[in-house]
Amino acid sequence: MYKKIAELLPFQHPRRDTRSLPKVSLVVIVYDMVAQAEKTIASMLPQYQLDVSLSDYEVIIVENESPNVMLREFLDTLPENFHYYLRKNPEVSPGPAVNFGADRARGENICVLIDGARMLTPGVIKNIILGHRLSDKSVVSISGYHLGDKLQQEAVDSGYGYDTERELLASISWPEDGYRLFEVSCLNASTRQGFFMPISESNCISIPRQMWEHMNGFDARFDLRGGGLINLDFYKRACEYPDAQHVILPGEGTFHQFHGGVTTGGQDAVARSAYIEASYEQYRKLKGTEYSCPETRPLYLGEMPAQAQRFMAFSARMAIDSGDLQ
């Protein structure tokens, strides 16, 4: 299997510049999702990501221990800018794992993927780096998608699962052209109105190290299983940071794979609803207010591949119809 990935993505090591620190550190959190995490990490390899070299970025993989941990056979194939940590006896919330990974990051900017089951398009890393050049307070975010033609919370009720997803990825010959992920996906709930309207969350968000330190990273008081609204809270605090410049990459995306998550893993509707309500209740207790999407005036950066243009058109229609463009 691992040899096959290398054959699909032939790799030639670029020259390594040891004089500078990585421009961005990507912190990826993994829990009980071996197959999905392998695809996510494969989508971060320098032979998949466009126009970046080993010295430009690093990937910090933090796995919270479960009975189903990543295989050494796979990890040993990764290049030298990928680092793996296994946390034993972890908390049920991924927040402490995020902060653990960020503490070990060396990059000028810190990018968090709180869910290791989200594959990237090939221009994510280069455009994150470009986004940070626009301002010393750039908050760069990538919109989220679900594999499949409807939200996985809904699709699981009609039989969506691992086999369905395997067939979808085979139909686009992934990973030969990562932008074809747009062909077999839909916008996720946080971006359901398109990326010209307020967004509640990003599952790939990058901020400057100084901002990370001033914000004290993720708020570990969000201690529900799966974190509750911990990622939404971080996204809101980052976007509303004083003088922050929000940058959205509309031509890139993260694509959620089915893995048995707390809201997408096949739980019945009653259980999902109860978890979501508990998450919002915890936010109210911790923050003293209801959660609301951050209001930002983002810059839109990057190329627009043909496969993503239908989402651009949808986003424009939603914004025009609402009369409330950001």
Side-chain angles (χ1 to χ4, degrees):
M1 172 181 170
Y2 310 118
K3 183 178 180 182
K4 183 177 180 183
I5 289 177
E7 290 171 348
L8 288 171
L9 300 169
F11 179 48
Q12 295 181 355
H13 282 277
R15 290 181 297 174
R16 180 172 175 78
D17 180 6
T18 59
R19 297 171 299 174
S20 60
L21 296 175
K23 296 180 178 67
V24 62
S25 297
L26 293 96
V27 178
V28 186
I29 308 305
V30 174
Y31 176 74
D32 193 22
M33 53 173 70
V34 170
Q36 295 81 8
E38 287 181 1
K39 292 184 181 70
T40 293
I41 292 163
S43 75
M44 298 179 178
L45 290 169
Q47 59 266 44
Y48 180 95
Q49 288 292 318
L50 299 172
D51 304 325
V52 290
S53 67
L54 290 178
S55 62
D56 289 328
Y57 71 104
E58 66 175 357
V59 176
I60 309 293
I61 306 161
V62 182
E63 181 165 26
N64 282 334
E65 188 178 40
S66 75
N68 188 34
V69 298
M70 299 189 72
L71 301 177
R72 179 54 57 183
E73 182 184 5
F74 172 78
L75 296 170
D76 286 345
T77 68
L78 300 177
E80 60 187 4
N81 59 331
F82 284 62
H83 312 283
Y84 172 79
Y85 300 90
L86 177 65
R87 296 181 74 243
K88 295 182 179 293
N89 304 312
E91 305 81 0
V92 296
S93 168
V98 171
N99 292 334
F100 173 93
D103 286 346
R104 285 150 183 79
R106 299 166 48 247
E108 299 170 13
N109 303 286
I110 295 174
C111 177
V112 175
L113 291 92
I114 194 171
D115 181 359
R118 290 185 177 263
M119 305 153 71
L120 308 182
T121 46
V124 165
I125 295 176
K126 77 165 183 177
N127 282 302
I128 285 175
I129 293 170
L130 285 173
H132 283 298
R133 292 178 183 170
L134 298 175
S135 167
D136 60 3
K137 293 184 179 179
S138 287
V139 173
V140 186
S141 68
I142 291 85
S143 298
Y145 297 78
H146 280 194
L147 291 173
D149 60 5
K150 62 176 66 173
L151 293 176
Q152 289 173 4
Q153 295 95 318
E154 303 167 3
V156 293
D157 295 333
S158 55
Y160 185 94
Y162 299 111
D163 291 339
T164 314
E165 201 158 272
R166 193 177 301 112
E167 292 169 3
L168 282 176
L169 293 176
S171 74
I172 60 169
S173 301
W174 189 87
E176 291 180 7
D177 179 358
Y179 286 111
R180 294 196 65 190
L181 289 167
F182 285 112
E183 297 175 13
V184 293
S185 302
C186 63
L187 284 163
N188 68 8
S190 64
T191 323
R192 68 176 66 203
Q193 298 184 81
F195 34 70
F196 296 133
M197 298 288 286
I199 297 170
S200 62
E201 180 181 23
S202 171
N203 281 277
C204 183
I205 178 171
S206 184
I207 69 174
R209 172 178 293 278
Q210 185 176 12
M211 187 184 296
W212 173 274
E213 293 171 352
H214 191 259
M215 289 172 56
N216 294 315
F218 271 52
D219 187 343
R221 295 178 298 167
F222 287 91
D223 58 0
L224 296 180
R225 182 172 67 93
L229 297 196
I230 190 170
N231 198 45
L232 283 73
D233 169 70
F234 179 77
Y235 176 78
K236 181 178 177 68
R237 289 191 291 125
C239 287
E240 295 181 348
Y241 190 88
D243 299 320
Q245 174 58 66
H246 189 195
V247 180
I248 294 177
L249 310 181
E252 308 296 333
T254 69
F255 295 81
H256 185 267
Q257 305 165 71
F258 181 80
H259 65 93
V262 291
T263 61
T264 59
Q267 303 90 341
D268 63 70
V270 173
R272 286 198 298 270
S273 178
Y275 177 81
I276 291 169
E277 176 51 38
S279 298
Y280 278 92
E281 176 59 24
Q282 183 178 60
Y283 185 91
R284 287 190 287 269
K285 289 181 177 179
L286 292 176
K287 303 296 179 174
T289 187
E290 297 286 344
Y291 177 80
S292 62
C293 294
E295 297 289 336
T296 71
R297 296 180 62 84
L299 295 175
Y300 296 90
L301 175 70
E303 304 86 351
M304 180 53 62
Q307 298 93 330
Q309 289 175 13
R310 65 187 177 102
F311 295 107
M312 175 71 86
F314 168 81
S315 298
R317 287 196 302 271
M318 293 294 289
I320 292 169
D321 290 346
S322 73
D324 185 29
L325 281 79
Q326 289 197 69

